[in-house]
Amino acid sequence: MEKHVHVFHHPLIQHKLGIIREESTGPKEFRELVNEIAKLMAYEITLDLPLTDVTVQTPVAKTTVKRLSGKKLGIVPIMRAGLGMVDGILSLIPVAKVGHIGLYRDPETLEAIEYYAKLPEDAGERELIVVDPMLATGGSASAALTAIKKRGAKNIKFLCLISVKEGIDRIHQDHPDVPIYTGAIDPGLNEKSYIDPGFGDAGDRLFGTK
Ligand code: URA
């Protein structure tokens, strides 16, 4: 299967990413920008949604217009940081259903352990956009994708703000069917597995917990 990584080069996405990387950007602005970037990314990844013709009556005449042809979408944030991208995407696609996946890292084994999972009942019929701002080692993202597929999902896109090659390779290896969409591919990880230069702990910066 062809490996798919798409990097968004849109100037607005790149500009806003540059601002959230700055240490001095506080939680309010950080949150707003993460949602704005997620919305712009959602606009780009929905460019190929199928349309259908329907007839409507304008105040003047009957005419044929385009409507989305009923493709069902879903957003699945990986908690906690993925939550920061949901509202931005929903503002563009308000009919999307939202599932949630929660994972924590076992401090002994470093394995990603699932603590919460709730997906739309018809997950198997939906195109799911799994979101997490950072794709670092790929350990949690891969475990989240496994958990989501276990519940029937077949058609999944992975959307992140920034990534590194290590995480991309991990997803390609474990989930070759899942295309990755990212705003940047950073040079690497530091000794604490933070993306370098990255933008620090995405959850802490979103929720002001540090
Ligand atoms: N998760 C984060 O929040 N930040 C990183 O740099 C890597 C993973």
Side-chain angles (χ1 to χ4, degrees), residues 101-142:
I101 290 287
L103 302 157
Y104 71 89
R105 190 176 292 273
D106 184 302
E108 306 271 287
T109 64
L110 302 182
E111 212 187 317
I113 312 284
E114 178 187 313
Y115 68 84
Y116 188 79
K118 180 94 181 175
L119 294 191
E121 246 175 23
D122 55 356
E125 292 153 37
R126 289 187 178 263
E127 179 170 319
L128 298 183
I129 306 170
V130 176
V131 298
D132 196 345
M134 328 279 284
L135 176 58
T137 63
S140 339
S142 176

